[in-house]
Amino acid sequence: MSKVSKKVLLKGNEVMVEAALSAGCRFFAGYPITPQNEVPECMSRRMPEVGGVFVQAESEVAAINMIFGASATGTRCMTSSSSPGISLKQEGISYIAAGELPCVIANVQRGGPGLGNIRASQGDYFQAVKGGGHGDYKLIVLAPSTLPELYELTQNAFDYSDYYRNPVMILGDGILGQMAEPVELKEYKPIVTLPEKDWILDGCEGRDPRVIKTLYLYPSDSLAVHNAHLKKKYEQIASELELFEEYKTEDCELVIAAYGMTARIAKAAIRLARDKGMKVGLLRPISLWPLANSAFMRLAETAKKFLVVEMSNGQFIEDVRLATECSVPVEFFGYGGGWYPTPENILERIEKVYTL
Amino acid sequence: MADIQIDIERCKGCGLCVLQCGHGCLKMSEDTNESGNTYAMINGSKDKCTGCGLCCQMCPDVAISICNEKTNTKKNKS
Amino acid sequence: MNFCRTESLIDTVTHYCPGCGHGIIHRLVAEVLDELGVREKTIATAPVGCAVLFYNYMKCDIIECAHGRSPAVATAIKRLLPENVVFTYQGDGDLAAIGMAETIHAANRGENITVIFVNNAIYGMTGGQMAPTTLLGQMSTTTEAGRGNNQEGPPIKVCELLSMLDGVTYLERVAVNDAKNVIKTKKAIRKGFLNQIEGRGFSMVEVLSMCPTDWKVSPLKAAEFVNIDMKSVFPLGVYKDEDGQ
């Protein structure tokens, strides 16, 4: 890539690849699944050009475990998949979180449960934000709503991941992955001072051997100690990383809470509602974990109501209720199974709840 | 000269070494070590030991060592 | 010739049961690493199973993998660090049951790694359940009437299976039931590592090994079981040697 920034028209899945490579990602392992196929396809072409390693894994399980190995060498690495594939990766993600190995995992969500369909969905919110795999761990979860933002957040994801030694998930959806938008391929600049990776495995020449492990049998309280360490790290992340956007919230009486693609559609609905004289705003969390609880609480003090819009039967809404501590009514608009709203759909719901 | 040494505290008493020794140099103890295992011991005199090392090859616990040469014990650099 | 603890093997008591073959195989691997002078550039994987604490015994960089996933983990490490020596140490449940897909595909891709496969025909760590390599008629805690009486199928012969794959370089089955076989095992392990160092591709050494505790026999009987029963089902020998040496 030339250092001169220029806008190019790319699909979301391709944007992730360019962002990852610009941020120094040099290992990718993945498995075909719609609607994220352009990620491994594009990686297979582009990775060799930058001297990195691309592996088409035999399974999602193998792919995430290749990431486990790649990260252990200190290499910036990434895998991507879509909902059923992400389910298969969960054991590996738990191990990666337990081993505190940095990596980026993209979930281009599709309709579920089961094989579901290949339309966009936000049905994996709980899986991404609450765990998914076994044990007490947290992923940093980022939810972009435009392709320029996808580019930037993918670059940043590698920094957050290295900085906190924690896996980061880009939670997108089929629309984000498949749509095309002009994106400026900005040069990567680290957003934090990156710590030295003094834990990597590269052979023990001139130092003591290192072990990366997730088993803590002895002494009997060692797993508790490890968990306490992880908890402290998660608390640190929660106190330092709250990414969100507010749109027309200064005077709003109704706050639409939405993330990713639904937030983008909601913005259009808010403009329509404003034209009709309704004071509606948007609170869009960009990091889903940690969630910007303080922003929710602040808006709950002035607004009369929240309306959650999400492409699921209602998952994100639970966290909105928690974040606002149920101090205001929280209405819901969403369906599972590969549905997405139009601005008019959302406007209709705004009109219904605004007057109540 | 073969100098056979048995670290009886490392021995778990499996007896695989005794079976390997074709010269009858080894036998199992009657009593136990600190871990409560019977252990391999020299059967009489060390003189019978030819230093072939088959017992060492078989010991899962690296409890037996044999020094056949005076010269180097530093096969591996530290 | 002296027989003493080699540098790569940490000077400690292992958690293995009396007569368990793991201790022998650990020592052989350690001796080979030292003889080839590659300890300081070696990265090993530890499996899930009895050998999960491999890193307590080996003086090299080690990554403990999820059950069966070592070949995938090793694939990534070796591809990124081709100058390093990367090997997996796996049991039969790890390699031939839950991790069979990773085994077959790493082998077929011809990953330039060395696989040490310890076949003791049982799940040891979990208390003696049927392994993919448990013999027909062999009793385990999940086949109390003996394998084969309830549609368990015959044992999987991994060397024979992998020998069908064009991507594989070297497959040999050895045993550690007696000193003579232990010496042969070391030769095979050495070849497995040399293949990698010389860039020849995927090598696997299957080692038939004793599990007296879960076979519920004495260490001497266990060695005999390997010699008579296991060898008759899993014949020793070279199953593939692309280099032809």
Side-chain angles (χ1 to χ4, degrees), chain A residues 26-27 53-55 58-59 61-62 65-66 68-70 72-73 75 91 95 201-207 209-215, chain C residues 39-43 48 52-53 55 59-67 69 72-73 75-77 79-81 84 101-102 105-106 109:
Chain A
R26 290 296 177 268
F27 185 90
V53 175
F54 165 85
V55 184
E58 60 270 31
S59 68
V61 175
N65 282 283
M66 287 175 188
F68 187 71
T73 69
T75 308
E91 182 206 31
Y95 278 67
L201 306 186
D202 57 357
C204 63
E205 195 171 351
R207 61 164 170 79
R210 290 176 184 153
V211 174
I212 289 177
K213 61 167 192 157
T214 64
L215 179 74
Chain C
R39 177 182 75 85
E40 291 186 324
K41 54 190 238 179
T42 295
I43 302 164
V48 167
V52 65
L53 300 176
Y55 40 80
K59 219 178 282 179
C60 63
D61 279 6
I62 296 184
I63 183 165
E64 172 203 280
C65 302
H67 201 19
R69 314 304 169 211
V73 176
T75 292
I77 295 173
R79 295 267 195 119
L80 288 164
L81 302 174
N84 288 68
E102 283 77 3
H105 287 274
R109 287 191 302 264

Coordinates of all heavy atoms in Angstrom, one line a residue, chain A residues 26-27 53-55 58-59 61-62 65-66 68-70 72-73 75 91 95 201-207 209-215, chain C residues 39-43 48 52-53 55 59-67 69 72-73 75-77 79-81 84 101-102 105-106 109:
Chain A
R26 N 0.2 -10.5 10.6 CA 1.0 -11.4 9.7 C 0.6 -12.8 9.8 O 1.4 -13.7 9.3 CB 2.5 -11.1 10.0 CG 3.0 -9.8 9.7 CD 2.9 -9.5 8.1 NE 3.3 -8.2 7.8 CZ 2.5 -7.1 7.6 NH1 1.2 -7.3 7.9 NH2 3.0 -6.0 7.3
F27 N -0.5 -13.1 10.4 CA -0.9 -14.5 10.4 C -2.5 -14.5 10.4 O -3.1 -13.8 11.2 CB -0.5 -15.3 11.6 CG -0.8 -16.8 11.6 CD1 0.0 -17.7 11.0 CD2 -2.1 -17.2 12.1 CE1 -0.3 -19.0 10.9 CE2 -2.4 -18.6 12.0 CZ -1.5 -19.5 11.4
V53 N 1.7 -15.1 6.8 CA 1.3 -16.5 6.7 C -0.3 -16.6 6.7 O -0.9 -16.1 7.6 CB 1.8 -17.4 7.8 CG1 1.3 -18.8 7.7 CG2 3.3 -17.4 7.8
F54 N -0.8 -17.2 5.6 CA -2.2 -17.5 5.5 C -2.4 -19.0 5.6 O -1.7 -19.8 4.8 CB -2.8 -17.0 4.2 CG -4.2 -17.6 3.9 CD1 -5.3 -17.0 4.5 CD2 -4.3 -18.7 3.1 CE1 -6.6 -17.5 4.2 CE2 -5.6 -19.2 2.9 CZ -6.7 -18.7 3.4
V55 N -3.3 -19.5 6.4 CA -3.6 -21.0 6.4 C -5.1 -21.1 6.3 O -5.9 -20.6 7.1 CB -3.1 -21.7 7.7 CG1 -3.4 -23.2 7.6 CG2 -1.6 -21.4 7.9
E58 N -8.5 -26.7 8.5 CA -9.4 -27.8 8.2 C -10.8 -27.6 9.0 O -11.7 -28.3 8.7 CB -8.8 -29.1 8.6 CG -8.4 -29.2 10.1 CD -7.0 -28.8 10.4 OE1 -6.5 -27.9 9.7 OE2 -6.3 -29.3 11.3
S59 N -10.8 -26.7 9.9 CA -12.0 -26.5 10.7 C -11.9 -25.2 11.5 O -10.8 -24.6 11.6 CB -12.3 -27.6 11.7 OG -11.3 -27.6 12.7
V61 N -12.3 -25.0 14.5 CA -11.6 -25.3 15.8 C -10.1 -25.3 15.5 O -9.3 -24.7 16.3 CB -12.0 -26.8 16.2 CG1 -11.2 -27.2 17.4 CG2 -13.5 -26.8 16.5
A62 N -9.6 -25.8 14.4 CA -8.2 -25.7 14.1 C -7.8 -24.3 13.9 O -6.7 -23.9 14.3 CB -7.9 -26.6 12.8
N65 N -7.2 -22.5 17.1 CA -6.0 -23.0 17.7 C -4.7 -22.6 17.0 O -3.7 -22.5 17.6 CB -6.2 -24.5 18.0 CG -7.1 -24.8 19.1 OD1 -6.7 -24.7 20.3 ND2 -8.3 -25.2 18.8
M66 N -4.8 -22.4 15.7 CA -3.7 -21.9 15.0 C -3.4 -20.4 15.5 O -2.3 -20.0 15.6 CB -3.9 -21.9 13.5 CG -3.9 -23.3 12.9 SD -4.3 -23.3 11.1 CE -4.3 -25.0 10.9
F68 N -4.1 -19.4 18.5 CA -3.4 -19.7 19.8 C -1.9 -19.8 19.6 O -1.1 -19.2 20.4 CB -4.1 -20.9 20.4 CG -3.7 -21.3 21.8 CD1 -4.2 -20.5 22.9 CD2 -2.9 -22.3 22.1 CE1 -3.8 -20.8 24.2 CE2 -2.5 -22.7 23.4 CZ -3.0 -21.9 24.5
G69 N -1.5 -20.6 18.6 CA -0.1 -20.8 18.4 C 0.6 -19.6 17.8 O 1.7 -19.2 18.3
A70 N -0.1 -18.9 16.9 CA 0.5 -17.8 16.2 C 0.7 -16.6 17.2 O 1.8 -16.0 17.3 CB -0.4 -17.3 15.1
A72 N 1.2 -16.9 20.3 CA 2.3 -17.3 21.3 C 3.6 -16.9 20.8 O 4.6 -16.8 21.5 CB 2.2 -18.8 21.6
T73 N 3.8 -16.8 19.4 CA 5.1 -16.4 18.9 C 5.2 -14.8 18.9 O 6.3 -14.3 18.5 CB 5.2 -16.8 17.4 OG1 4.3 -16.1 16.6 CG2 5.0 -18.3 17.3
T75 N 3.3 -12.8 17.1 CA 2.9 -12.3 15.8 C 1.5 -11.8 16.0 O 0.6 -12.4 16.6 CB 2.9 -13.4 14.8 OG1 4.2 -14.1 14.8 CG2 2.6 -12.9 13.4
E91 N -14.3 -22.8 22.5 CA -13.3 -23.4 23.4 C -11.9 -22.7 23.3 O -11.3 -22.4 24.3 CB -13.2 -24.9 23.1 CG -12.2 -25.6 24.1 CD -11.6 -26.9 23.5 OE1 -11.4 -26.9 22.3 OE2 -11.3 -27.8 24.3
Y95 N -9.5 -20.5 25.9 CA -8.0 -20.8 26.1 C -7.2 -19.6 25.9 O -6.2 -19.3 26.6 CB -7.6 -22.0 25.3 CG -7.9 -23.3 25.8 CD1 -9.2 -23.8 25.9 CD2 -6.9 -24.2 26.2 CE1 -9.5 -25.0 26.4 CE2 -7.2 -25.5 26.7 CZ -8.5 -25.9 26.8 OH -8.8 -27.1 27.3
L201 N 7.0 -17.2 22.9 CA 7.8 -18.4 22.7 C 8.6 -18.3 21.4 O 7.9 -18.2 20.3 CB 6.9 -19.6 22.7 CG 5.9 -19.8 23.9 CD1 5.3 -21.2 23.7 CD2 6.6 -19.7 25.2
D202 N 9.9 -18.3 21.5 CA 10.7 -18.2 20.3 C 12.0 -19.0 20.5 O 13.0 -18.8 19.8 CB 11.0 -16.8 19.8 CG 11.7 -16.0 20.9 OD1 11.9 -16.5 22.0 OD2 12.0 -14.8 20.6
G203 N 12.0 -19.9 21.4 CA 13.2 -20.7 21.8 C 13.8 -20.0 22.9 O 13.8 -18.7 23.0
C204 N 14.4 -20.7 23.8 CA 14.9 -20.1 25.1 C 16.4 -19.7 25.1 O 17.0 -19.6 26.2 CB 14.6 -21.1 26.2 SG 15.5 -22.7 26.1
E205 N 16.9 -19.5 23.9 CA 18.3 -19.1 23.8 C 18.6 -17.8 24.6 O 17.9 -16.8 24.4 CB 18.7 -18.9 22.4 CG 20.2 -18.8 22.2 CD 20.6 -18.8 20.7 OE1 19.8 -19.0 19.9 OE2 21.8 -18.6 20.5
G206 N 19.5 -17.9 25.6 CA 19.8 -16.8 26.4 C 18.8 -16.4 27.5 O 18.9 -15.3 28.0
R207 N 17.9 -17.2 27.7 CA 16.9 -16.9 28.8 C 16.3 -18.2 29.3 O 16.6 -19.3 28.7 CB 15.7 -16.0 28.2 CG 15.0 -16.7 27.1 CD 13.6 -16.0 26.9 NE 12.9 -16.4 25.7 CZ 12.2 -17.5 25.5 NH1 12.1 -18.3 26.5 NH2 11.6 -17.8 24.4
P209 N 13.5 -21.1 29.9 CA 12.4 -21.5 29.1 C 11.1 -20.9 29.6 O 10.9 -20.6 30.8 CB 12.3 -23.0 29.3 CG 13.7 -23.4 29.8 CD 14.2 -22.2 30.6
R210 N 10.2 -20.6 28.6 CA 8.9 -20.0 29.0 C 7.8 -21.1 28.7 O 7.9 -21.9 27.8 CB 8.6 -18.8 28.1 CG 9.5 -17.6 28.5 CD 9.2 -16.5 27.6 NE 10.1 -15.3 27.9 CZ 10.5 -14.4 27.0 NH1 10.1 -14.5 25.7 NH2 11.3 -13.5 27.3
V211 N 6.7 -20.9 29.5 CA 5.5 -21.8 29.3 C 4.3 -21.0 29.1 O 4.1 -20.0 29.8 CB 5.4 -22.7 30.5 CG1 4.1 -23.5 30.4 CG2 6.6 -23.7 30.7
I212 N 3.5 -21.3 28.1 CA 2.2 -20.7 28.0 C 1.2 -21.8 28.3 O 1.2 -22.8 27.7 CB 1.9 -20.1 26.6 CG1 2.8 -18.8 26.5 CG2 0.5 -19.7 26.4 CD1 2.7 -18.2 25.1
K213 N 0.4 -21.6 29.4 CA -0.5 -22.7 29.8 C -1.8 -22.1 30.4 O -1.8 -20.9 30.7 CB 0.2 -23.5 30.8 CG 0.6 -22.8 32.1 CD 1.0 -23.7 33.2 CE 1.1 -23.0 34.5 NZ 0.9 -23.8 35.7
T214 N -2.8 -22.9 30.5 CA -4.0 -22.5 31.1 C -4.5 -23.4 32.2 O -5.6 -23.3 32.7 CB -5.1 -22.4 30.0 OG1 -5.4 -23.7 29.5 CG2 -4.7 -21.5 28.8
L215 N -3.6 -24.4 32.5 CA -4.0 -25.3 33.6 C -3.3 -24.8 34.9 O -2.1 -24.5 34.9 CB -3.4 -26.7 33.2 CG -3.7 -27.8 34.3 CD1 -5.1 -28.2 34.3 CD2 -2.8 -29.0 34.0
Chain C
R39 N 18.0 -27.6 21.8 CA 17.1 -27.3 22.9 C 16.7 -25.8 22.9 O 15.5 -25.5 23.1 CB 17.8 -27.6 24.2 CG 16.9 -27.3 25.5 CD 17.7 -27.6 26.8 NE 18.7 -26.6 27.0 CZ 18.5 -25.4 27.7 NH1 17.3 -25.1 28.1 NH2 19.5 -24.6 27.9
E40 N 17.6 -24.9 22.7 CA 17.3 -23.5 22.9 C 16.5 -22.9 21.7 O 16.2 -21.7 21.7 CB 18.6 -22.7 23.1 CG 19.3 -23.0 24.4 CD 20.5 -22.2 24.7 OE1 21.2 -21.9 23.7 OE2 20.7 -21.8 25.8
K41 N 16.3 -23.7 20.7 CA 15.5 -23.2 19.6 C 14.2 -24.1 19.4 O 13.5 -24.0 18.4 CB 16.2 -23.0 18.3 CG 17.0 -24.2 17.8 CD 17.8 -23.7 16.6 CE 17.5 -24.5 15.4 NZ 18.3 -24.1 14.2
T42 N 13.9 -24.8 20.5 CA 12.8 -25.7 20.4 C 11.6 -25.1 21.1 O 11.7 -24.5 22.1 CB 13.2 -27.1 21.0 OG1 14.2 -27.7 20.3 CG2 12.0 -28.0 21.1
I43 N 10.4 -25.3 20.4 CA 9.1 -25.0 21.0 C 8.3 -26.3 21.0 O 8.1 -26.8 19.9 CB 8.5 -23.8 20.3 CG1 9.4 -22.6 20.3 CG2 7.1 -23.5 21.0 CD1 9.0 -21.5 19.3
V48 N -3.4 -32.5 26.3 CA -4.2 -32.8 27.5 C -4.2 -34.3 27.7 O -4.2 -35.0 26.8 CB -5.6 -32.3 27.2 CG1 -6.6 -32.8 28.3 CG2 -5.7 -30.8 27.2
V52 N 0.2 -33.6 30.3 CA -0.1 -32.2 30.3 C 1.0 -31.4 31.0 O 1.2 -30.2 30.7 CB -1.5 -31.9 30.9 CG1 -1.6 -32.3 32.3 CG2 -1.9 -30.5 30.7
L53 N 1.6 -32.0 32.0 CA 2.6 -31.3 32.8 C 4.0 -31.5 32.2 O 5.0 -31.3 32.9 CB 2.6 -31.8 34.3 CG 1.3 -31.6 35.0 CD1 1.4 -32.2 36.4 CD2 0.9 -30.1 35.1
Y55 N 5.7 -29.6 30.6 CA 6.6 -28.4 30.8 C 7.3 -28.4 32.2 O 8.2 -27.7 32.4 CB 5.8 -27.1 30.7 CG 4.4 -27.1 31.2 CD1 4.2 -26.9 32.6 CD2 3.3 -27.3 30.4 CE1 2.9 -26.9 33.1 CE2 2.0 -27.3 30.8 CZ 1.8 -27.1 32.2 OH 0.5 -27.2 32.7
K59 N 13.2 -28.7 29.6 CA 13.8 -27.4 29.7 C 13.8 -26.7 28.3 O 14.8 -26.4 27.7 CB 15.2 -27.5 30.2 CG 15.7 -26.5 31.2 CD 17.1 -26.7 31.6 CE 17.1 -27.8 32.7 NZ 18.5 -28.0 33.2
C60 N 12.6 -26.4 27.8 CA 12.5 -25.7 26.5 C 11.2 -24.9 26.5 O 10.4 -25.1 27.4 CB 12.6 -26.6 25.3 SG 11.2 -27.8 25.2
D61 N 11.0 -24.0 25.6 CA 9.7 -23.3 25.5 C 8.6 -24.3 25.2 O 8.7 -25.1 24.3 CB 9.8 -22.2 24.4 CG 10.5 -21.0 24.8 OD1 11.0 -21.0 26.0 OD2 10.5 -20.0 24.1
I62 N 7.5 -24.1 25.9 CA 6.4 -25.1 25.8 C 5.0 -24.3 25.8 O 4.9 -23.4 26.6 CB 6.4 -26.2 26.9 CG1 7.7 -27.0 26.7 CG2 5.2 -27.1 26.8 CD1 7.8 -28.2 27.6
I63 N 4.1 -24.8 24.9 CA 2.8 -24.2 25.0 C 1.8 -25.4 25.2 O 1.9 -26.4 24.5 CB 2.4 -23.4 23.7 CG1 1.0 -22.8 23.8 CG2 2.6 -24.3 22.4 CD1 0.7 -21.8 22.7
E64 N 1.0 -25.2 26.2 CA 0.0 -26.2 26.6 C -1.2 -26.0 25.8 O -1.8 -24.9 25.8 CB -0.3 -26.1 28.1 CG -1.4 -27.0 28.6 CD -1.9 -26.4 29.9 OE1 -1.3 -26.6 30.9 OE2 -2.9 -25.7 29.8
C65 N -1.7 -27.0 25.0 CA -2.7 -26.8 24.0 C -4.0 -27.4 24.5 O -4.1 -28.3 25.4 CB -2.4 -27.5 22.7 SG -0.8 -26.9 22.0
A66 N -5.1 -27.0 23.9 CA -6.4 -27.6 24.2 C -6.4 -29.1 23.7 O -5.5 -29.4 22.8 CB -7.5 -26.9 23.5
H67 N -7.2 -29.9 24.2 CA -7.2 -31.3 23.9 C -7.3 -31.6 22.4 O -8.2 -31.3 21.7 CB -8.4 -32.0 24.6 CG -8.3 -33.5 24.8 ND1 -7.1 -34.1 24.8 CD2 -9.2 -34.4 25.1 CE1 -7.3 -35.4 25.0 NE2 -8.6 -35.6 25.2
R69 N -5.5 -30.3 19.9 CA -5.2 -29.2 19.0 C -3.7 -28.9 18.7 O -3.4 -28.0 18.0 CB -5.9 -27.9 19.5 CG -7.3 -28.1 19.9 CD -8.2 -28.7 18.8 NE -9.5 -29.1 19.4 CZ -10.3 -30.1 19.1 NH1 -9.9 -30.9 18.1 NH2 -11.4 -30.4 19.6
A72 N -2.5 -28.2 15.2 CA -2.9 -26.9 14.7 C -2.0 -25.8 15.3 O -1.6 -24.9 14.6 CB -4.4 -26.6 15.0
V73 N -1.8 -25.9 16.6 CA -1.0 -24.9 17.2 C 0.5 -24.9 16.7 O 1.1 -23.9 16.4 CB -1.0 -25.1 18.8 CG1 0.0 -24.2 19.5 CG2 -2.4 -25.0 19.3
T75 N 1.4 -26.0 13.8 CA 1.4 -25.5 12.4 C 1.7 -24.0 12.4 O 2.6 -23.6 11.6 CB 0.0 -25.8 11.8 OG1 -0.1 -27.2 11.6 CG2 -0.1 -25.1 10.4
A76 N 1.0 -23.3 13.2 CA 1.1 -21.8 13.2 C 2.5 -21.4 13.7 O 3.2 -20.6 13.1 CB 0.1 -21.2 14.1
I77 N 3.0 -22.1 14.7 CA 4.3 -21.7 15.3 C 5.4 -22.0 14.3 O 6.3 -21.2 14.0 CB 4.5 -22.5 16.6 CG1 3.5 -22.0 17.7 CG2 6.0 -22.2 17.1 CD1 3.6 -22.8 19.0
R79 N 5.2 -22.4 11.0 CA 5.1 -21.5 9.8 C 5.7 -20.1 10.1 O 6.3 -19.5 9.2 CB 3.6 -21.3 9.4 CG 3.0 -22.6 8.9 CD 3.1 -22.9 7.4 NE 2.2 -23.9 7.0 CZ 1.2 -23.7 6.2 NH1 1.0 -22.5 5.6 NH2 0.4 -24.7 5.9
L80 N 5.5 -19.6 11.3 CA 5.9 -18.3 11.7 C 7.4 -18.3 12.1 O 8.1 -17.3 11.9 CB 5.1 -17.7 12.8 CG 3.7 -17.3 12.3 CD1 2.7 -17.1 13.5 CD2 3.7 -16.0 11.5
L81 N 7.9 -19.4 12.7 CA 9.2 -19.5 13.1 C 9.9 -20.7 12.5 O 10.2 -21.7 13.1 CB 9.3 -19.6 14.6 CG 8.6 -18.5 15.5 CD1 8.6 -18.8 16.9 CD2 9.4 -17.2 15.2
N84 N 13.0 -22.4 13.9 CA 12.9 -23.1 15.2 C 12.5 -24.6 15.0 O 12.0 -24.9 14.0 CB 11.9 -22.4 16.1 CG 12.4 -21.1 16.7 OD1 12.6 -20.1 15.9 ND2 12.7 -21.0 17.9
A101 N -8.8 -34.8 13.4 CA -8.8 -33.9 12.2 C -7.6 -33.1 12.1 O -7.0 -33.0 11.1 CB -10.0 -33.0 12.3
E102 N -7.1 -32.6 13.3 CA -5.9 -31.8 13.3 C -4.7 -32.6 12.9 O -3.8 -32.2 12.1 CB -5.7 -31.2 14.7 CG -6.5 -30.0 15.0 CD -8.0 -30.3 15.4 OE1 -8.3 -31.5 15.4 OE2 -8.8 -29.4 15.6
H105 N -4.9 -33.4 9.0 CA -4.6 -32.3 8.1 C -3.3 -31.7 8.3 O -2.7 -31.3 7.3 CB -5.8 -31.3 8.3 CG -7.0 -31.7 7.7 ND1 -7.4 -31.5 6.4 CD2 -8.1 -32.4 8.3 CE1 -8.5 -32.0 6.2 NE2 -9.0 -32.6 7.3
A106 N -2.7 -31.7 9.5 CA -1.3 -31.2 9.6 C -0.4 -32.2 8.9 O 0.5 -31.7 8.2 CB -0.9 -31.1 11.1
R109 N -0.9 -31.7 5.1 CA -0.3 -30.4 4.6 C 1.3 -30.5 4.5 O 1.9 -29.7 4.0 CB -0.6 -29.2 5.5 CG -2.1 -28.7 5.4 CD -2.3 -27.4 6.1 NE -1.9 -27.5 7.5 CZ -2.8 -27.7 8.5 NH1 -4.1 -27.8 8.2 NH2 -2.4 -27.8 9.7

